[in-house]
Amino acid sequence: MDNNYRLPTGKEIIFILIAFIITMFVVVIYLGLPIQIALLLIWFIIIIVGLKIGYSYNQLQAGLCKGIYEGMEAILVMISIGALIGTWIASGIVPSIIYAGLHIISPTFFLVTAFVICIITSLATGTSFGSAGTAGIAMIGIGTSFGLPLPLVAGAVISGCYVGDKMSPLSDTTVMTASLSRVDLFDHIKSMSFVSIPSVIITLILFGIANFTVSSKEGSLAQAEKAMGQLSDQFNISGWMAVPLIIVIILLALKVPSVPVILFGSLMGALWSVWFQGIPFVESIKILYRGNDISSGISFIDNLLNRGGITFML
C-alpha cells in the first residue's frame, strides 16, 4: 500500500476552514441555494487538498464512505425523533406538557416560572429558536404586564430555551453531538447534566432573588390563560398524555436501545392521537411521516406545533 501521504498542516486546515465558511455563506445566504450544494463544493475542495498531501482519490472516497457509515446512527435516531415529535404533538402529549408549564405561572416568582416553562417547552419540542419565538414571546408579554424589566424576562426566556434544547433527546444538535463523539445519546445527556443541573439551580436562585429586588406592579395572567385556552380548544388535554412519556423514559432508563424505544414511542403517539384526539388511524401514520400540520388561525399554536415527522428531519 502506498503510504506517501502526510497530515495536513495548520495552514492547510485553516484554508479548508475559511473555504468552508465562504462557500457556505455564498451558496446558502447569498445565492439562496440548498446547503447540500455547498457541501458538495466543499468536498471538491477537500479532494484537492487531500491529493496535494499525498492521498489517492480511492483513499479519500473510502474516508468519505467511512464518515457516512459512522454518521448513520445519528441519522436513524433523528428520523425516529422526527416521527416521535410529529405524533406526540398530534396526540396532545406535547401540548399537555406546555399546558402544564403555563399552569404553574406565578406573579411572585415569574422569572423563575418563565425560566422553567421555557425549559419544559424546549425539552418537549427539541428546539430553542421555536420555543423562544412562541412560548418565549408569551412570557415576554406576561412579564411586561407585571412591570418587570424586559432584559431580565428575555434572559429568563433565552436561558430556559437553550438549557432545554441542549438537554433534549429530541434536539438535532444533541443527537449529532453524541453521534460525532461516538457516545450513546443518553450517556451524552447524562454527562451534560453534571454541568447543566448546577447551572440551572444557580440560575433559579438568581432569578428568584431578582424577582424580589426589581420593582413590579400588579399584572394580569390573561395572556397565559389565553394560551392555555388556545391549547385546550385545539387538543384534548389530559393526564393520560403523560403515559407514553413515562413509558419511554422508563425504557430508556433501563438501557433499552434508543432507536426502537423512540419508534415505539412514536407508535404510542399515533395511537394516542386516534384515541384521544379523534384522528383517523391512517392520518396518524401520515403525521408520523410528514409531521403535524394544523391551521388553527392562532399564531402561537401554529408556529409552535406545526413541526415533526420523518420529512422534517430529512
Side-chain angles (χ1 to χ4, degrees), residues 49-69:
V49 175
L51 293 174
K52 178 178 178 294
I53 63 177
Y55 285 89
S56 68
Y57 175 76
N58 288 335
Q59 288 174 309
L60 295 171
Q61 181 171 290
L64 171 66
C65 295
K66 183 174 181 289
I68 293 173
Y69 172 78

Side-chain angles (χ1 to χ4, degrees), residues 236-252:
N236 178 16
I237 305 297
S238 167
W240 287 104
M241 299 300 128
V243 173
L245 176 64
I246 293 171
I247 291 175
V248 168
I249 290 174
I250 291 174
L251 290 175
L252 292 173

Side-chain angles (χ1 to χ4, degrees), residues 8-86:
T9 64
K11 291 181 179 179
E12 289 165 340
I13 292 173
I14 292 173
F15 167 76
I16 292 175
L17 178 61
I18 294 174
F20 176 87
I21 294 172
I22 293 174
T23 305
M24 294 292 285
F25 178 82
V26 172
V27 173
V28 178
I29 305 298
Y30 183 72
L31 298 178
L33 295 173
I35 192 172
Q36 289 84 354
I37 301 297
L39 294 174
L40 186 62
L41 292 175
I42 293 163
W43 166 236
F44 278 103
I45 294 172
I46 294 173
I47 288 177
I48 293 171
V49 175
L51 293 174
K52 178 178 178 294
I53 63 177
Y55 285 89
S56 68
Y57 175 76
N58 288 335
Q59 288 174 309
L60 295 171
Q61 181 171 290
L64 171 66
C65 295
K66 183 174 181 289
I68 293 173
Y69 172 78
E70 291 175 350
M72 282 305 298
E73 181 182 358
I75 293 173
L76 289 173
V77 173
M78 290 178 71
I79 288 174
S80 305
I81 287 173
L84 184 78
I85 293 173

Side-chain angles (χ1 to χ4, degrees), residues 272-280:
W272 253 241
S273 66
V274 174
W275 295 337
F276 293 98
Q277 308 302 333
I279 298 175

Side-chain angles (χ1 to χ4, degrees), residues 73 175 177-188 191:
E73 181 182 358
V175 172
T177 301
S179 175
L180 293 174
S181 302
R182 301 182 186 179
V183 298
D184 179 76
L185 173 61
F186 291 93
D187 287 340
H188 169 55
S191 69

